[in-house]
Structures are given as C-alpha cells and as structure tokens.
Amino acid sequence: MRSPYDVLLKPVITEKSMDLTADNKYTFIINPDANKIEVKYAVEQLFKVKVLDVWTLNVKGKKKRMGKFVGRTSDRKKAIVKLRDGDKIEIFEGV
C-alpha cells in the first residue's frame, strides 16, 4: 500500500467544494492510480478522522488556446470524502 502522501496530492479549494464542507464532504486531487480504499486510509491517517464514504471521478483536461496554438490541460482524478459528524479537516476551515 502507498504512503498517504503519495495518494493525496492536494486539496481542491473552489466555491463548489467549499459548499460541500457544510455536509462534511471534502475534495482532493489524488494519484490517478489510487483507489477508494487507499484514499480512505490516507485521509484517516493524515487527518485523524473517520471516513464514511468515498467518491472518485476522473476529470478530462480542457482544450486551451494560446494564440494560434492549441493545447490541453492535464487529466486528473478527484476524490470526494464524507466524514463522520463532528469530524473536521483543519486546512479547509481557514479558507
């Protein structure tokens, strides 16, 4: 099993993800090879909380233009994690 630091790459701080924190749901960019079990283990180990449910989704990169050149943003994998009532992740609270 991978290290928790290799599974969770960074938190997602957007308007939509901040609205989900009211329901105890937190969003992370994760390693594309990670599965739900590894995500659950990583969140529980790093933040000392109890995870109830995990949703994962693959996000395709978007086309972007820079003058006449066309490129793409990179594909990524996201995970939405639901925590037990009363548990909080501190890095999301200060935003």
Side-chain angles (χ1 to χ4, degrees):
M1 190 168 264
R2 288 183 203 128
S3 163
Y5 296 103
D6 294 334
V7 175
L8 299 179
L9 300 181
K10 63 182 178 178
V12 176
I13 309 292
T14 61
E15 250 182 275
K16 187 174 183 179
S17 68
M18 289 295 105
D19 290 342
L20 288 175
T21 58
D23 298 330
N24 260 2
K25 295 179 183 175
Y26 298 91
T27 308
F28 296 94
I29 300 290
I30 62 172
N31 187 327
D33 298 329
N35 58 33
K36 292 181 179 187
I37 296 167
E38 291 175 330
V39 172
K40 178 179 179 179
Y41 175 78
V43 171
E44 287 179 347
Q45 293 299 312
L46 289 177
F47 301 110
K48 307 295 187 237
V49 294
K50 176 69 176 150
V51 174
L52 298 180
D53 210 352
V54 177
W55 297 273
T56 59
L57 54 144
N58 290 311
V59 181
K60 298 249 180 171
K62 297 180 179 180
K63 285 187 180 179
K64 297 287 183 178
R65 287 185 61 98
M66 191 86 158
K68 66 179 182 177
F69 302 104
V70 178
R72 292 183 63 88
T73 60
S74 59
D75 297 340
R76 58 196 177 279
K77 189 171 185 179
K78 289 195 316 189
I80 300 172
V81 178
K82 182 172 177 65
L83 303 181
R84 178 177 56 190
D85 288 339
D87 285 346
K88 299 278 185 219
I89 296 179
E90 299 300 323
I91 58 173
F92 287 92
E93 298 303 317
V95 177

